[in-house]
Amino acid sequence: MPDALPSVEQHVASGAVMMTSRADAQSRQSGPIVIHANWYEFRAGEVFENELVVSRTLLWSVRGRGTLIIDGTELTLDAGSFVLTPWRHRIRYVADQAAPLMVGSIHLVPDLVMGDVDFRAAHGVTDPLAADPRRRDVPDLFGGARFVAGAFMHARRLEALASYVVWRFVETPHVEHEMRTLAALLIDEIAAAVGARSAAEAQPSEDLRLMQQGVQAGLTGRLHLADVAAFAGVSASTAERLFTRHTGVSVARWVVRARVERAQYLLQSTNLPIGAIARATGFKDQYHFSRTFRRSTGSSPTEYRTRYRVL
């Protein structure tokens, strides 16, 4: 089960500790910073392209799905997934016709000289900021990987922090030291998310990914072993073998875990009635939901909501 979502105050407090405990930006006169953040809701089938973006951009689907084509590499972005782009990238967004994307977007500069910050991301080769020598990448960030991708089901802290950063950027004045602290926290949480995913599901296959995506998209309905196997077009025995090898549990147990994790998220982040959450996570009735939830978490849904409610 994921850890309870920490409060914003805990995020900011821990950020201050982390920024102090490392060779911080003040001593180096440069460091990471959030230079832009926003939400964007696509229309059905909308296509949008930026020829050049000079940032490491964290993108995630708030809802809906679509395709990202980043420097020629095609990636699927659907609810609960995220990607961190390379530095100086070209990107094309293609929103799904049936369930168009609403995305969150945070532009990070891994190393920016302090003082007189222009809080916007460079877009296009003619943008003066595209050639600003004060803005630099850190090539070995996240082990030198060009892309970082993952799912929020393994990164609840990152999910909470990313949403907070956007709201903070959109609704309050931009203060340099705050945006630097938030950038350092984001980098730490992205690194933790990558590590958690690797430890939980080392080298998962494409068939396993397809089945897990199918389960996440179908949590409101019944999901038998044959249904899960069909998401990847594999046999029931192959489905069981892949789940056992890479997640350590059977298909049935993984489905229950996914339902409970979704219920935890809804209890923490919404005011939906318990019965509505039971239906939204595929339980046949509230009694069955409450019994399963208590068995998995040690608390009833009502107790869990009281303890971990996000205000």
Side-chain angles (χ1 to χ4, degrees), residues 1 260 264 290-301 303-304 307-308:
M1 295 298 106
V260 171
Q264 287 178 301
S290 296
R291 284 192 62 188
T292 303
F293 191 91
R294 181 182 288 277
R295 188 164 57 245
S296 299
T297 68
S299 303
S300 71
E303 292 167 343
Y304 186 89
R307 187 179 306 166
Y308 297 122

mmCIF file of all heavy atoms in Angstrom, residues 1 260 264 290-301 303-304 307-308:
data_model
loop_
_atom_site.group_PDB
_atom_site.id
_atom_site.type_symbol
_atom_site.label_atom_id
_atom_site.label_comp_id
_atom_site.label_asym_id
_atom_site.label_seq_id
_atom_site.Cartn_x
_atom_site.Cartn_y
_atom_site.Cartn_z
ATOM 1 N N MET A 1 0.835 -1.188 0.000
ATOM 2 C CA MET A 1 0.000 0.000 0.000
ATOM 3 C C MET A 1 0.884 1.258 0.000
ATOM 4 O O MET A 1 1.922 1.293 0.656
ATOM 5 C CB MET A 1 -0.885 0.040 1.263
ATOM 6 C CG MET A 1 -1.903 -1.089 1.313
ATOM 7 S SD MET A 1 -3.082 -1.010 -0.067
ATOM 8 C CE MET A 1 -2.482 -2.358 -1.053
ATOM 9 N N VAL A 260 -8.076 -1.180 -4.129
ATOM 10 C CA VAL A 260 -7.910 -0.558 -2.815
ATOM 11 C C VAL A 260 -7.077 0.724 -2.918
ATOM 12 O O VAL A 260 -7.392 1.740 -2.285
ATOM 13 C CB VAL A 260 -7.275 -1.547 -1.817
ATOM 14 C CG1 VAL A 260 -6.891 -0.849 -0.516
ATOM 15 C CG2 VAL A 260 -8.248 -2.694 -1.532
ATOM 16 N N GLN A 264 -8.204 4.360 -1.801
ATOM 17 C CA GLN A 264 -7.439 5.212 -0.894
ATOM 18 C C GLN A 264 -7.302 6.622 -1.462
ATOM 19 O O GLN A 264 -7.489 7.620 -0.758
ATOM 20 C CB GLN A 264 -6.054 4.620 -0.648
ATOM 21 C CG GLN A 264 -6.055 3.395 0.244
ATOM 22 C CD GLN A 264 -4.656 2.830 0.406
ATOM 23 O OE1 GLN A 264 -4.013 2.457 -0.574
ATOM 24 N NE2 GLN A 264 -4.185 2.766 1.626
ATOM 25 N N SER A 290 -16.008 -2.465 2.242
ATOM 26 C CA SER A 290 -15.495 -2.138 3.577
ATOM 27 C C SER A 290 -14.691 -3.291 4.163
ATOM 28 O O SER A 290 -13.635 -3.086 4.775
ATOM 29 C CB SER A 290 -16.655 -1.767 4.508
ATOM 30 O OG SER A 290 -17.295 -0.590 4.059
ATOM 31 N N ARG A 291 -15.185 -4.528 3.972
ATOM 32 C CA ARG A 291 -14.451 -5.697 4.484
ATOM 33 C C ARG A 291 -13.094 -5.833 3.800
ATOM 34 O O ARG A 291 -12.074 -6.066 4.458
ATOM 35 C CB ARG A 291 -15.270 -6.969 4.241
ATOM 36 C CG ARG A 291 -16.429 -7.154 5.173
ATOM 37 C CD ARG A 291 -16.988 -8.549 5.054
ATOM 38 N NE ARG A 291 -15.997 -9.561 5.431
ATOM 39 C CZ ARG A 291 -16.173 -10.868 5.267
ATOM 40 N NH1 ARG A 291 -17.292 -11.320 4.712
ATOM 41 N NH2 ARG A 291 -15.241 -11.719 5.648
ATOM 42 N N THR A 292 -13.062 -5.697 2.483
ATOM 43 C CA THR A 292 -11.804 -5.835 1.746
ATOM 44 C C THR A 292 -10.847 -4.709 2.100
ATOM 45 O O THR A 292 -9.636 -4.938 2.275
ATOM 46 C CB THR A 292 -12.075 -5.824 0.227
ATOM 47 O OG1 THR A 292 -12.998 -6.874 -0.086
ATOM 48 C CG2 THR A 292 -10.786 -6.024 -0.552
ATOM 49 N N PHE A 293 -11.367 -3.493 2.216
ATOM 50 C CA PHE A 293 -10.522 -2.346 2.530
ATOM 51 C C PHE A 293 -9.891 -2.509 3.911
ATOM 52 O O PHE A 293 -8.693 -2.270 4.092
ATOM 53 C CB PHE A 293 -11.349 -1.057 2.476
ATOM 54 C CG PHE A 293 -10.524 0.199 2.527
ATOM 55 C CD1 PHE A 293 -10.074 0.803 1.360
ATOM 56 C CD2 PHE A 293 -10.185 0.782 3.744
ATOM 57 C CE1 PHE A 293 -9.306 1.956 1.394
ATOM 58 C CE2 PHE A 293 -9.414 1.934 3.794
ATOM 59 C CZ PHE A 293 -8.971 2.516 2.618
ATOM 60 N N ARG A 294 -10.675 -2.929 4.890
ATOM 61 C CA ARG A 294 -10.128 -3.120 6.236
ATOM 62 C C ARG A 294 -9.083 -4.235 6.250
ATOM 63 O O ARG A 294 -8.046 -4.106 6.903
ATOM 64 C CB ARG A 294 -11.244 -3.439 7.233
ATOM 65 C CG ARG A 294 -10.739 -3.622 8.662
ATOM 66 C CD ARG A 294 -11.860 -3.987 9.616
ATOM 67 N NE ARG A 294 -12.753 -2.874 9.886
ATOM 68 C CZ ARG A 294 -12.511 -1.929 10.783
ATOM 69 N NH1 ARG A 294 -11.372 -1.952 11.490
ATOM 70 N NH2 ARG A 294 -13.375 -0.971 10.983
ATOM 71 N N ARG A 295 -9.344 -5.322 5.533
ATOM 72 C CA ARG A 295 -8.392 -6.422 5.486
ATOM 73 C C ARG A 295 -7.069 -5.986 4.865
ATOM 74 O O ARG A 295 -5.997 -6.439 5.257
ATOM 75 C CB ARG A 295 -8.995 -7.584 4.688
ATOM 76 C CG ARG A 295 -8.169 -8.867 4.735
ATOM 77 C CD ARG A 295 -8.961 -10.076 4.273
ATOM 78 N NE ARG A 295 -9.475 -9.896 2.929
ATOM 79 C CZ ARG A 295 -10.761 -9.830 2.624
ATOM 80 N NH1 ARG A 295 -11.677 -9.915 3.577
ATOM 81 N NH2 ARG A 295 -11.156 -9.676 1.372
ATOM 82 N N SER A 296 -7.131 -5.069 3.903
ATOM 83 C CA SER A 296 -5.924 -4.631 3.198
ATOM 84 C C SER A 296 -5.171 -3.537 3.935
ATOM 85 O O SER A 296 -3.936 -3.471 3.864
ATOM 86 C CB SER A 296 -6.295 -4.117 1.798
ATOM 87 O OG SER A 296 -6.888 -5.131 1.018
ATOM 88 N N THR A 297 -5.881 -2.654 4.622
ATOM 89 C CA THR A 297 -5.236 -1.471 5.205
ATOM 90 C C THR A 297 -5.243 -1.443 6.730
ATOM 91 O O THR A 297 -4.509 -0.645 7.325
ATOM 92 C CB THR A 297 -5.929 -0.182 4.717
ATOM 93 O OG1 THR A 297 -7.261 -0.121 5.277
ATOM 94 C CG2 THR A 297 -5.996 -0.134 3.196
ATOM 95 N N GLY A 298 -6.081 -2.290 7.350
ATOM 96 C CA GLY A 298 -6.188 -2.255 8.805
ATOM 97 C C GLY A 298 -7.155 -1.218 9.317
ATOM 98 O O GLY A 298 -7.339 -1.091 10.535
ATOM 99 N N SER A 299 -7.803 -0.466 8.414
ATOM 100 C CA SER A 299 -8.761 0.569 8.803
ATOM 101 C C SER A 299 -10.017 0.437 7.957
ATOM 102 O O SER A 299 -9.967 -0.054 6.820
ATOM 103 C CB SER A 299 -8.184 1.974 8.598
ATOM 104 O OG SER A 299 -6.987 2.159 9.301
ATOM 105 N N SER A 300 -11.126 0.899 8.491
ATOM 106 C CA SER A 300 -12.326 0.996 7.675
ATOM 107 C C SER A 300 -12.187 2.203 6.742
ATOM 108 O O SER A 300 -11.355 3.094 6.990
ATOM 109 C CB SER A 300 -13.557 1.188 8.560
ATOM 110 O OG SER A 300 -13.552 2.496 9.129
ATOM 111 N N PRO A 301 -12.964 2.268 5.673
ATOM 112 C CA PRO A 301 -12.896 3.448 4.804
ATOM 113 C C PRO A 301 -13.143 4.750 5.552
ATOM 114 O O PRO A 301 -12.462 5.756 5.309
ATOM 115 C CB PRO A 301 -13.986 3.178 3.760
ATOM 116 C CG PRO A 301 -14.079 1.691 3.693
ATOM 117 C CD PRO A 301 -13.857 1.226 5.109
ATOM 118 N N GLU A 303 -12.609 5.394 8.780
ATOM 119 C CA GLU A 303 -11.440 5.678 9.618
ATOM 120 C C GLU A 303 -10.279 6.188 8.767
ATOM 121 O O GLU A 303 -9.574 7.120 9.169
ATOM 122 C CB GLU A 303 -11.012 4.414 10.364
ATOM 123 C CG GLU A 303 -12.005 3.957 11.420
ATOM 124 C CD GLU A 303 -11.715 2.552 11.920
ATOM 125 O OE1 GLU A 303 -10.954 1.807 11.243
ATOM 126 O OE2 GLU A 303 -12.268 2.176 12.963
ATOM 127 N N TYR A 304 -10.066 5.578 7.616
ATOM 128 C CA TYR A 304 -8.975 5.996 6.740
ATOM 129 C C TYR A 304 -9.179 7.430 6.270
ATOM 130 O O TYR A 304 -8.243 8.232 6.264
ATOM 131 C CB TYR A 304 -8.891 5.051 5.539
ATOM 132 C CG TYR A 304 -7.700 5.303 4.642
ATOM 133 C CD1 TYR A 304 -6.494 4.665 4.890
ATOM 134 C CD2 TYR A 304 -7.776 6.179 3.570
ATOM 135 C CE1 TYR A 304 -5.388 4.889 4.083
ATOM 136 C CE2 TYR A 304 -6.681 6.419 2.760
ATOM 137 C CZ TYR A 304 -5.494 5.767 3.018
ATOM 138 O OH TYR A 304 -4.405 6.010 2.229
ATOM 139 N N ARG A 307 -8.397 9.887 8.997
ATOM 140 C CA ARG A 307 -6.970 9.969 9.310
ATOM 141 C C ARG A 307 -6.165 10.682 8.243
ATOM 142 O O ARG A 307 -5.242 11.435 8.534
ATOM 143 C CB ARG A 307 -6.423 8.553 9.501
ATOM 144 C CG ARG A 307 -4.981 8.507 10.005
ATOM 145 C CD ARG A 307 -4.533 7.064 10.189
ATOM 146 N NE ARG A 307 -5.445 6.326 11.047
ATOM 147 C CZ ARG A 307 -5.457 4.992 11.157
ATOM 148 N NH1 ARG A 307 -4.654 4.268 10.452
ATOM 149 N NH2 ARG A 307 -6.315 4.409 11.949
ATOM 150 N N TYR A 308 -6.499 10.466 6.980
ATOM 151 C CA TYR A 308 -5.654 10.918 5.891
ATOM 152 C C TYR A 308 -6.317 11.935 4.970
ATOM 153 O O TYR A 308 -5.813 12.187 3.883
ATOM 154 C CB TYR A 308 -5.187 9.734 5.039
ATOM 155 C CG TYR A 308 -4.343 8.754 5.803
ATOM 156 C CD1 TYR A 308 -4.709 7.423 5.914
ATOM 157 C CD2 TYR A 308 -3.161 9.175 6.412
ATOM 158 C CE1 TYR A 308 -3.923 6.528 6.608
ATOM 159 C CE2 TYR A 308 -2.367 8.273 7.117
ATOM 160 C CZ TYR A 308 -2.757 6.949 7.204
ATOM 161 O OH TYR A 308 -1.977 6.072 7.888
#
